[in-house]
Amino acid sequence: MTIDNIRGVRRRDVMMCLALGFAVVVAAPAKADTVIVKIDNFTFAPAVLTVKSGTTVKFENHDDIPHSVVDAAGKFRSKALDTDDSFSLTVAVAGEINYFCGLHPHMKGKIVVTP
Amino acid sequence: MAHHDDDTHPGIDRRHALECMLWAGTGVLWTLSAGVPVSRLIGSAEAAESGFSFLQISDSHVGFDKAANPDARATLVAAIDKVNAMPVKPAFMIHTGDITHLSKPREFDDAAQAIGQARLDVHYVPGEHDIIDEDNGKAYLERYGKGTKGAGWYSFDQAGVHFIGLVNVVDLKAGGMGNLGDAQLAWLADDLRGKSASTPIVVFAHIPLWTVAEEWGWGTQDSARALALLARFGSVTVLNGHIHQLMQKVEGHVTFHTARSTAFPQPAPGTAPSPGPKVVPAGELRKLLGVTDVVYRAGQEKLAITDTALAG
């Protein structure tokens, strides 16, 4: 590995940290973590996500088609997310959240919230 | 233009089905002769021999600007140009949903302007892309909901044929497919009550009312309840969009047909990891335009398809 490569990696890491820091500031000013759920090819990834209570989950749509994030229990519903739009949700209560895409309901995912 | 309905030309063989799926871009002309619906893709110069004709367009996705079609408005305009070039003016048009891509006012305006150039009455049903405004469908209903019930369903009659526009994109359930719901099914039962079984019925809705691909949500969860209400009728034609490709199926007295999109093709089930827009090489989209005749004859369960490219 060349020095340039190492620099490249470091720069990317720095950028990622900055991006993460920005997301935390916007979504949850308290010292919460942000975890990403990617929407790609009409799937939520990871389909099952386990996080601690207080974590912010950010859904990012990378498809050419809009999607949404709807709680199966009816507690939240995002607006339609166009390409590269995102929706953030801070999970407070331990338990399971089952969600799906309101436009394409065969797309499902689950967040397991631990105390 | 040959109508192949003999045994040497089976209605849907694999090759023809695939050719159909590769095609994208205009509308379907439906002709009712003696109560029997006949469709051909617009571009055919043939005029309706008798009865009346109407046109189906679908999935115009105005506002879509991604790789599969950077200008969905332009291809809608091209489709309407085809309509205007037809030798016989259709009685009206139906649009089976996904008029817009993101339910934005500008997209609705652009679509209305383009479609208005056909100077035809247009009967709409919404697709899931038409009800994603902030108020979950209010924008669609303000424009197209006049005289409709619930989320926008309705019926009307034309020269003895009963047309029913259904909405199956609202209140979708986790893990499910399209959804009609109890209220709409109760309305449908009421709408059909007292109608003679010999009344030709045309049902149109966005998502297919038969299960094309459950893994992609291409079907309607409670469609069996609607089809049970239609079972006593001798001629039922179900027209859908949503899947951006041609598919046909005949089951008893019911003929199911999905129209192509005017915006972009989607892959056939099982050929791609997801149903997302299918990107074809630049310049290929319109080469894939063509004409297709779909002929139905009373008492025959087979449907005949003749598929011809417009260019290339």
Side-chain angles (χ1 to χ4, degrees), chain A residues 48-60:
Chain A
V48 179
L49 176 71
T50 302
V51 295
K52 282 192 173 174
S53 167
T55 303
T56 295
V57 180
K58 185 181 181 190
F59 297 84
E60 294 179 344

Side-chain angles (χ1 to χ4, degrees), chain B residues 174-197:
Chain B
M177 303 189 286
N179 179 53
L180 293 164
D182 290 342
Q184 186 168 208
L185 286 162
W187 170 86
L188 179 62
D190 196 46
D191 183 70
L192 293 171
R193 192 166 294 128
K195 291 245 169 343
S196 158

Side-chain angles (χ1 to χ4, degrees), chain B residues 156-218:
Chain B
F156 64 95
D157 293 283
Q158 174 89 22
V161 180
H162 190 59
F163 288 81
I164 303 167
L166 297 179
V167 179
N168 57 0
V169 295
V170 172
D171 194 22
L172 304 183
K173 307 287 190 283
M177 303 189 286
N179 179 53
L180 293 164
D182 290 342
Q184 186 168 208
L185 286 162
W187 170 86
L188 179 62
D190 196 46
D191 183 70
L192 293 171
R193 192 166 294 128
K195 291 245 169 343
S196 158
S198 63
T199 308
I201 307 281
V202 176
V203 177
F204 56 106
H206 180 63
I207 299 176
L209 289 171
W210 51 294
T211 302
V212 175
E214 191 169 3
E215 69 277 16
W216 284 355
W218 286 1

Side-chain angles (χ1 to χ4, degrees), chain B residues 253-266:
Chain B
H253 296 154
V254 185
T255 298
F256 299 90
H257 180 97
T258 57
R260 296 178 173 104
S261 165
T262 67
F264 55 84
Q266 281 177 251

